[in-house]
Amino acid sequence: MSTGVLTERYVHEVVRRLPADQRDDVAQELRATIADTIDGRGGDDHQAAEREVLGELGDPVRYAAQYTERPLVLIGPDLYPAYVRVLTTLVAGVLPVLSLGLALLEVADGGGLGDAVRVGAGTLIGVGAQLVAAITVVFAVNERIRYRRGTTGDRWTPDELPDVPQQDKGGVAALAAVAWNVLLFALIVWQHTAEPYRADDGEHLEVLNPDLWSGWLWPVLAGLAGLAVVGVARVAGQGWTVRLAGWYALAHAVFTLPLAWVLYRQELFNPDFLADATTLWESQESVYGGAALIVLAIGVTSVAKAYRTALR
Amino acid sequence: MWVVSVEELTLSQAQELRRGTVVLACLALLRKPQYGYALLETLDDAGVTVDGNTLYPLLRRLEKQGLLTSEWNTDESRPRKFYRVSPDGSRVREGLVREWQDLVASISRLTKENE
């Protein structure tokens, strides 16, 4: 039997996508089949026949997928509408507002028109690319999980139909929450890098305490990112599940607890900024205590609401 | 506007019709053990055209479902995997044959009524 280099390359491309225990068997059968088919053509030019036969078998990725019955899509028809909805809302809704806002802040901060355009365009492209990538990853993972679950043979029942008005309202509210988390995240990073506040002596200052960057601000940012991911997953899965609510509670704890602690310790804002801006508010103590309580209260009620919806 | 000719439409619809019959044809032919390429040729000669990249993975799937069994034959210089119908496969074939005959009867009745 004679199989050419091209056949070996084809067989390798197919079997490396199969489960390890099937590889040798499929490879041997495929080699024999290809050789049989080439012989069946009966031409003199063996190499040309080999090219032709492999061409007819088609893309090895597709061929291997026929064996495994794995979906050849990143995001399938079930999730696609939700994916498009989330993507358009965030990209068309939030991104321009964010970019414009940051550009305007640059102008307000005394930057020229060129700087403003640069900041705006930079945000549009940079944040936009990350937003699209993050949403796509969440949906693709969701698709894989669904596919695995689908093969276990869970039957769909009408009980799984979501409530129409509630689902829609939840979808919009969840998207708004995601937008808010992303915005807050961006603002925290922005005030650190751009140092937007200008003190009376002309020095640029961060609004938040710079010392927090060696401590409590990281869990706050991680928690915000987590909340955004859970929010997208919630819209993708169309509603709360108990597990998702668990992740939500975790992300919220990671975000809220350090924030409340920092507020309670009165360490949130940059002391230099406060010293310069005392005229902005009179008594700081009561403001800090109240803010800490409010942050905790918001966190607890959001998580409770997520669980209530999931368990209903 | 891009128009698909009636001939092309008929061809693609006919392909849809044939798709489901490949399994039945395999279950019928594989009462005698046969290897992939020879089965493809036999099917082709019988007028059941199917591409290799459809047939070979299909045989594996039917084997996985327990409708076919397989055995390597190393008597010749080129080892080949021979498939044959399992007892379960035979029962499925009988069911499919009944289904096929019912379909032929109802479709011919339908097409006659509407002539």
Side-chain angles (χ1 to χ4, degrees), chain A residues 1-2 22 24-26 28-33 35-37 39-41 56-58 63 66-69, chain B residues 35-38 40 51-54 56-61 63-65 70 72 77-81 83:
Chain A
M1 85 188 239
S2 62
Q22 296 177 20
D24 288 344
D25 201 65
V26 170
Q28 208 176 356
E29 186 185 18
L30 194 52
R31 267 185 221 113
T33 305
D36 279 339
T37 316
D39 291 351
R41 300 282 153 109
E56 281 166 20
L57 281 178
Y63 190 77
Q66 289 250 36
Y67 281 102
T68 53
E69 290 179 282
Chain B
Y35 61 94
Y37 177 70
L40 186 90
D51 288 332
N53 55 19
T54 307
Y56 307 134
L58 173 72
L59 292 174
R60 290 266 168 174
R61 289 208 296 275
E63 186 190 7
K64 213 158 125 193
Q65 290 170 8
S70 72
W72 279 96
S77 67
R78 185 177 290 160
R80 292 188 178 107
K81 193 169 188 173
Y83 295 89

Side-chain angles (χ1 to χ4, degrees), chain A residues 23-108:
Chain A
R23 279 178 202 159
D24 288 344
D25 201 65
V26 170
Q28 208 176 356
E29 186 185 18
L30 194 52
R31 267 185 221 113
T33 305
I34 291 170
D36 279 339
T37 316
I38 294 170
D39 291 351
R41 300 282 153 109
D44 294 330
D45 191 345
H46 184 84
Q47 275 182 329
E50 184 183 24
R51 286 190 77 86
E52 200 180 276
V53 169
L54 294 180
E56 281 166 20
L57 281 178
D59 190 337
V61 179
R62 198 174 282 272
Y63 190 77
Q66 289 250 36
Y67 281 102
T68 53
E69 290 179 282
R70 210 170 278 163
L72 281 178
V73 291
L74 189 63
I75 294 161
D78 285 355
L79 289 182
Y80 186 72
Y83 172 69
V84 171
R85 192 156 49 101
V86 171
L87 211 55
T88 46
T89 313
L90 288 181
V91 171
V94 179
L95 202 55
V97 174
L98 188 70
S99 307
L100 194 68
L102 291 180
L104 287 177
L105 276 170
E106 184 68 26
V107 171

Side-chain angles (χ1 to χ4, degrees), chain A residues 24-300:
Chain A
D24 288 344
D25 201 65
V26 170
Q28 208 176 356
E29 186 185 18
L30 194 52
R31 267 185 221 113
T33 305
I34 291 170
D36 279 339
T37 316
I38 294 170
D39 291 351
R41 300 282 153 109
D44 294 330
D45 191 345
H46 184 84
Q47 275 182 329
E50 184 183 24
R51 286 190 77 86
E52 200 180 276
V53 169
L54 294 180
E56 281 166 20
L57 281 178
D59 190 337
V61 179
R62 198 174 282 272
Y63 190 77
Q66 289 250 36
Y67 281 102
T68 53
E69 290 179 282
R70 210 170 278 163
L72 281 178
V73 291
L74 189 63
I75 294 161
D78 285 355
L79 289 182
Y80 186 72
Y83 172 69
V84 171
R85 192 156 49 101
V86 171
L87 211 55
T88 46
T89 313
L90 288 181
V91 171
V94 179
L95 202 55
V97 174
L98 188 70
S99 307
L100 194 68
L102 291 180
L104 287 177
L105 276 170
E106 184 68 26
V107 171
D109 195 39
L113 192 63
D115 282 344
V117 170
R118 192 174 47 76
V119 168
T123 311
L124 201 64
I125 294 166
V127 178
Q130 288 176 30
L131 207 59
V132 171
I135 293 169
T136 307
V137 166
V138 171
F139 271 90
V141 168
N142 212 312
E143 178 74 43
R144 260 76 205 147
I145 293 169
R146 269 163 169 257
Y147 164 72
R148 283 226 190 111
R149 238 184 255 151
T151 51
T152 60
D154 282 347
R155 240 184 94 91
W156 183 88
T157 67
D159 293 336
E160 290 168 40
L161 282 172
D163 292 338
V164 176
Q166 182 206 333
Q167 179 226 342
D168 195 33
K169 222 169 66 193
V172 173
L175 286 179
V178 170
W180 165 244
N181 293 329
V182 172
L183 190 70
L184 206 55
F185 189 101
L187 277 176
I188 291 174
V189 175
W190 170 75
Q191 67 82 34
H192 179 59
T193 54
E195 301 188 332
Y197 186 78
R198 188 172 294 183
D200 291 339
D201 56 8
E203 195 191 353
H204 286 275
L205 292 176
E206 295 181 39
V207 176
L208 300 184
N209 192 345
D211 294 343
L212 290 176
W213 286 98
S214 52
W216 288 116
L217 215 45
W218 293 109
V220 169
L221 286 176
L224 272 176
L227 286 174
V229 170
V230 170
V232 172
R234 189 201 137 178
V235 178
Q238 291 174 0
W240 288 108
T241 60
V242 174
R243 185 192 295 187
L244 204 56
W247 284 111
Y248 184 69
L250 181 68
H252 231 308
V254 170
F255 166 66
T256 305
L257 295 179
L259 185 61
W261 173 249
V262 165
L263 279 169
Y264 171 72
R265 297 267 306 249
Q266 309 192 358
E267 286 172 351
L268 180 64
F269 292 105
N270 190 347
D272 295 340
F273 161 72
L274 286 182
D276 198 78
T278 34
T279 43
L280 285 182
W281 46 69
E282 308 279 308
S283 73
Q284 294 167 18
E285 278 77 12
S286 55
V287 173
Y288 273 121
L293 279 179
I294 290 170
V295 163
L296 280 176
I298 291 175
V300 170

